[in-house]
Amino acid sequence: MGLELYLDLLSQPCRAVYLFAKANRIPFEMQNVELFRDFPLRQPQRTSGSTGLLFPSICIGEHMTDEFARVNSLKRLPAMKDGDFTLAESAAILHYLSQKYNTPAHWYPRDLQARARVEEYLYWHADSIRGTLGSVLWIQVLGPLIDIHVPKEKVDRNRAFITQLLQHLEQKFLQDKPFLTGDQISVADLMALEELMQTFYAGFDVFEGRPKLAAWRGRVEATFGEELWQETHEAIRKLCADPKSLKDIPLAMQEGMKLRLSKIP
Amino acid sequence: MSLELYLDLISPPCRAVYIFAKMNNIHFDYFAVDLLHGEQHSKEFEAINILRKVPLLREGSFILAESVPILLYLTRKFSTSLYWYPPDIRIQARIDEYMAWQYEGMQIIMEKILWSKLLIPMITGQEVPQEKVDDVLKQAETNIQLFCDHFLKDKPFLVGNVISLADLMAAVELMQPSGADFDIFLGRPKLNEWLLRVEEIVGHRLFQEAHEKLLTIKNWDISILDPSVRKKILIMIEKVTK
């Protein structure tokens, strides 16, 4: 059994891994894990506590089952299985794939300082961007689906945080460069853009009034080509265009969703 | 060109960088940034780092934020012993996996214990409702269990038989509640033994030195608390007591 990638393309880091693998022609078997699909839940104590509730970006769903746990005991997406080696966390997966498949150096520059820049972005991204930008989908699409309307005060606060983050993205990272950390695309651009695309599809156009970011987006998209880009974003686009396509969400899952919504500061 | 490190040892990621640099005899100019006094918001610091975060590394015009990138930069630049971040891609992946997980999975929750048990009562003069403290401790319990079950398991160190950057990061994070005299290692012998192994390799003197500020924070004179910091603290309190 070769490389398996456990992904749900509704998730930003899953899309980053998917795009990276496809663009680098890495052979893999796609294991489509559906975040919101009903799947019989096991006894709570057999899971690692309520980990699904601790990582707000993950809902109770298929990936919480014991079978998936055998692949990835962290019960998170994306996940990777390479023979007997399992791995979670998109940043770890991307790095592993880049080394194993010897991808072009620009994804992870060899130069000491250039490399540090990419890593600095990825860690800042995890601390700051992740979660905050993703909340827009919850506020505008997923919450209303289960009749939860996040209070205006929180929506406004989220917007303010996003505005500040986008400022940092432009002023500290992108500046006048073609890509976030240099002249060529790196994994930093991929991870960043997927978060902005999530927000975009969810109804908040973060590129409007930000020509630098819009131009950068164009450059990143061009790297992957239209066909792959469209294919990768089909699921999130469909969900946002027709939220009700996500039918009959089980109560247990709704509870998980409510918890995620409650974590929006 | 000298290496400058801007650190506040109250912060676990700063301690990781400090300990690593010292252990590897990396010469650096140490700039203490006092977070609780709002020094990260000073104009001087903001000029260096728009993100106003510590730890921060500066070497001439090269400025680097974020502890893990700083640690990786130091391992490469100073060609430190390979075991910190070995060339084996699977071991690197395991370290990367821990480092990616640790911010939400460990750092935040350990910080919440310190704040809810010590810093909030100290600063506001009011205890955090027991129910909230219990919630925090329950969440910590789950995360620590996950740490033991998924990351440490039965190995001497997180990624095998030898210490790595992951162990250093985890150790300083798990020490955070100690600032509130809360010993999370109590009743967890395996975890305690792991910490002792890490501490032994770091060296007791250096480990204690790095944790001195944390362990004496309860004696801190809050009357000199900066007003801007108080404001930030109120926001933090809201998050912790959620």
Side-chain angles (χ1 to χ4, degrees):
Chain A
M1 182 58 79
L3 178 70
E4 293 171 74
L5 295 177
Y6 290 74
L7 309 172
D8 182 335
L9 296 184
L10 289 179
S11 139
Q12 307 88 299
C14 285
R15 292 197 298 269
V17 170
Y18 183 79
L19 282 165
F20 184 80
K22 285 282 193 179
N24 288 289
R25 301 194 204 291
I26 293 170
F28 68 93
E29 189 179 322
M30 172 83 161
Q31 300 287 358
N32 201 36
V33 180
E34 290 178 57
L35 282 166
F36 294 96
R37 201 178 81 180
D38 184 21
F39 207 98
L41 295 173
R42 307 299 174 147
Q43 295 305 310
Q45 49 270 34
R46 286 173 62 192
T47 66
S48 295
S50 50
T51 51
L53 310 180
L54 290 170
F55 303 108
S57 58
I58 306 297
C59 253
I60 301 171
E62 184 180 330
H63 64 293
M64 290 299 286
T65 64
D66 281 3
E67 190 162 325
F68 183 70
R70 276 197 288 280
V71 171
N72 167 26
S73 63
L74 277 183
K75 298 201 184 123
R76 287 163 73 96
L77 290 183
M80 179 202 89
K81 193 159 182 272
D82 189 9
D84 60 343
F85 184 65
T86 62
L87 189 62
E89 298 296 343
S90 52
I93 294 171
L94 288 170
H95 186 212
Y96 176 85
L97 293 178
S98 77
Q99 292 184 96
K100 174 151 182 185
Y101 295 92
N102 208 26
T103 56
H106 63 79
W107 292 109
Y108 282 97
R110 306 257 154 87
D111 171 80
L112 191 64
Q113 291 190 356
R115 178 58 172 265
R117 290 264 85 88
V118 172
E119 286 162 349
E120 182 191 50
Y121 177 75
L122 291 175
Y123 279 89
W124 178 75
H125 173 101
D127 292 358
S128 310
I129 295 256
R130 193 87 183 100
T132 308
L133 265 66
S135 290
V136 178
L137 182 74
W138 286 91
I139 292 168
Q140 303 206 181
V141 178
L142 299 173
L145 203 56
I146 54 166
D147 225 2
I148 303 275
H149 301 277
V150 176
K152 185 173 188 307
E153 178 193 37
K154 291 188 172 194
V155 178
D156 290 345
R157 199 177 302 149
N158 179 250
R159 287 281 164 124
F161 284 147
I162 291 177
T163 302
Q164 192 181 60
L165 287 170
L166 293 174
Q167 251 170 34
H168 280 324
L169 193 64
E170 279 194 271
Q171 288 169 18
K172 182 184 154 46
F173 293 101
L174 187 59
Q175 295 173 348
D176 290 309
K177 309 191 294 297
F179 294 96
L180 288 181
T181 55
D183 288 338
Q184 290 188 285
I185 194 171
S186 75
V187 291
D189 301 279
L190 185 48
M191 291 290 276
L193 186 56
E194 281 312 326
E195 292 293 336
L196 269 66
M197 291 310 296
Q198 194 85 337
T199 314
F200 172 80
Y201 286 121
F204 175 21
D205 187 350
V206 292
F207 304 103
E208 195 183 321
R210 296 187 175 95
K212 262 189 182 172
L213 282 185
W216 162 74
R217 170 193 171 182
R219 286 189 286 274
V220 177
E221 287 187 16
T223 307
F224 294 97
E226 169 129 18
E227 196 182 316
L228 176 58
W229 194 258
Q230 295 303 335
E231 174 201 321
T232 305
H233 294 91
E234 195 185 327
I236 187 67
R237 213 178 31 245
K238 271 192 178 160
L239 173 68
C240 293
D242 179 19
K244 296 214 193 310
S245 61
L246 196 60
K247 281 197 270 279
D248 304 321
I249 301 172
L251 278 172
M253 214 170 304
Q254 288 190 38
E255 289 309 306
M257 289 168 73
K258 282 181 190 168
L259 194 76
R260 165 59 176 101
L261 283 154
S262 73
K263 295 218 181 286
I264 296 170
Chain B
M1 195 166 19
S2 66
L3 179 73
E4 297 171 2
L5 292 177
Y6 294 76
L7 309 170
D8 184 340
L9 299 184
I10 191 82
S11 138
C14 287
R15 292 198 293 272
V17 171
Y18 181 81
I19 289 172
F20 186 77
K22 288 278 189 179
M23 279 181 80
N24 289 284
N25 298 309
I26 294 169
H27 184 74
F28 63 93
D29 293 333
Y30 176 29
F31 290 87
V33 178
D34 197 331
L35 295 175
L36 286 168
H37 286 113
E39 282 179 15
Q40 73 277 29
H41 299 291
S42 73
K43 289 216 160 27
E44 294 80 10
F45 193 63
E46 195 174 336
I48 305 168
N49 176 20
I50 196 176
L51 296 178
R52 300 192 297 260
K53 286 178 68 161
V54 283
L56 191 75
L57 175 152
R58 179 158 77 159
E59 237 182 345
S61 60
F62 180 64
I63 294 168
L64 186 64
E66 300 294 339
S67 55
V68 179
I70 290 172
L71 288 167
L72 290 170
Y73 178 80
L74 293 174
T75 61
R76 291 165 189 147
K77 173 138 186 168
F78 294 93
S79 303
T80 58
S81 301
L82 290 180
Y83 55 73
W84 289 111
Y85 196 65
D88 183 316
I89 71 168
R90 286 190 175 192
I91 301 182
Q92 283 192 2
R94 289 266 91 87
I95 296 172
D96 291 345
E97 189 188 56
Y98 179 74
M99 295 307 208
W101 179 82
Q102 53 81 24
Y103 178 67
E104 253 185 67
M106 191 58 79
Q107 218 186 111
I108 289 183
I109 190 63
M110 291 297 128
E111 202 68 61
K112 277 188 182 181
I113 297 177
L114 180 67
W115 281 84
S116 55
K117 281 199 150 292
L118 181 81
L119 295 177
I120 293 173
M122 227 167 93
I123 289 162
T124 66
Q126 284 183 325
E127 295 295 315
V128 173
Q130 192 56 44
E131 184 190 281
K132 300 280 183 191
V133 178
D134 289 343
D135 277 345
V136 169
L137 294 178
K138 198 163 153 220
Q139 202 183 336
E141 171 67 44
T142 308
N143 288 44
I144 292 170
Q145 199 56 51
L146 191 60
F147 175 80
C148 293
D149 294 344
H150 180 89
F151 292 104
L152 185 57
K153 294 185 180 149
D154 287 313
K155 310 188 295 296
F157 296 96
L158 287 178
V159 297
N161 292 323
V162 189
I163 198 172
S164 73
L165 291 179
D167 297 279
L168 184 54
M169 195 61 133
V172 295
E173 285 166 341
L174 284 161
M175 282 297 293
Q176 199 71 348
S178 304
D181 283 336
F182 188 80
D183 184 356
I184 60 109
F185 299 96
L186 207 61
R188 295 186 172 103
K190 259 169 95 176
L191 194 65
N192 196 44
E193 279 156 28
W194 163 80
L195 182 80
L196 291 174
R197 282 191 287 272
V198 174
E199 201 178 329
E200 190 165 6
I201 293 174
V202 166
H204 298 290
R205 198 185 53 79
L206 176 58
F207 199 82
Q208 289 310 308
E209 179 193 316
H211 287 89
E212 196 189 327
K213 184 171 181 183
L214 173 72
L215 295 174
T216 55
I217 199 73
K218 53 185 171 284
N219 305 323
W220 175 51
D221 179 6
I222 55 151
S223 65
I224 51 174
L225 181 62
D226 185 277
S228 71
V229 177
R230 186 181 287 273
K231 192 174 155 197
K232 303 232 172 274
I233 286 169
L234 291 174
I235 297 172
M236 159 89 85
I237 287 171
E238 216 199 288
K239 282 188 186 165
V240 171
T241 54
K242 233 178 212 327

